[in-house]
């Protein structure tokens, strides 16, 4: 049995993340999608909101659960006995940071390997930052996130 974890900020989850979740869930026996709870990053959505959005989009995937973590990913991986860390790679610009992170994590948690899934071409341009920015100016984000998530993003900007 191979247990994978897909960590990230997911602020908010995008169609690009959902694509990676579906593909990783197909490959590994179990997949935990885990939200980094890091107040220093001052996210748009709270940890609970991000977890709930992920639970919503993962509800039809029986081998996927959603969790959150704080502190070092390597400690979280060791504590939960994950075999694999999943990360999506969009472009070469992601690579340097991702390589450094994977190698650092492997030093600290040698029992787990990082597996990169290359983002599907239709989502290669997409990031949570872009979605937040477009939504903040009232732009159309319907191609970037599921409708229910889009509603929550617009609502967040309406409330301020
Ligand atoms: O979605 P993101 O923001 O690209 O995800 C980055 C994340 C959460 C995977 C990364 O920042 C992380 O693992 N943070 C936890 C702290 C940590 O372990 N830092 C050292 C990584 S080398």
């Amino acid at each position: 049995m191979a247990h994978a974890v897909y960590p990230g900020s997911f602020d908010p989850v995008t169609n690009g993340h959902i694509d990676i979740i579906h593909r990783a869930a197909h490959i590994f026996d179990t997949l935990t999608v885990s939200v980094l709870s890091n107040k220093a990053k001052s996210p748009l959505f709270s940890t609970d909101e991000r977890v709930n959005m992920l639970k919503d989009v993962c509800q039809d995937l029986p081998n996927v659960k959603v969790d959150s973590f704080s502190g070092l990913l390597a400690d979280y991986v060791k504590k939960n006995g994950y075999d694999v860390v999943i990360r999506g790679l969009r472009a070469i610009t992601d690579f340097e940071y991702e390589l450094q992170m994977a190698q650092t994590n492997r030093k600290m948690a040698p029992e787990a390997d990082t597996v990169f899934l290359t983002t599907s071409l239709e989502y290669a341009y997409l990031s949570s930052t872009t979605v937040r920015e477009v939504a903040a100016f009232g732009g159309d984000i319907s191609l970037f996130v599921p409708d229910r998530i889009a509603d929550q993003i617009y609502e967040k900007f309406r409330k301020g």
Side-chain angles (χ1 to χ4, degrees), residues 6-11 17 34-38 41 69-75 85-87 90 97-98 100-105 108 128:
Y6 178 25
S9 302
F10 304 108
D11 186 36
H17 295 128
S34 199
V35 173
L36 174 67
S37 180
N38 180 359
K41 270 196 162 184
F69 74 104
S70 54
L72 283 178
L73 176 62
D75 291 340
V85 175
I86 300 291
R87 293 289 290 167
R90 283 168 304 191
Y97 167 69
E98 292 294 340
Q100 196 178 23
M101 196 162 72
Q103 289 174 335
T104 308
N105 284 331
M108 294 190 289
S128 297

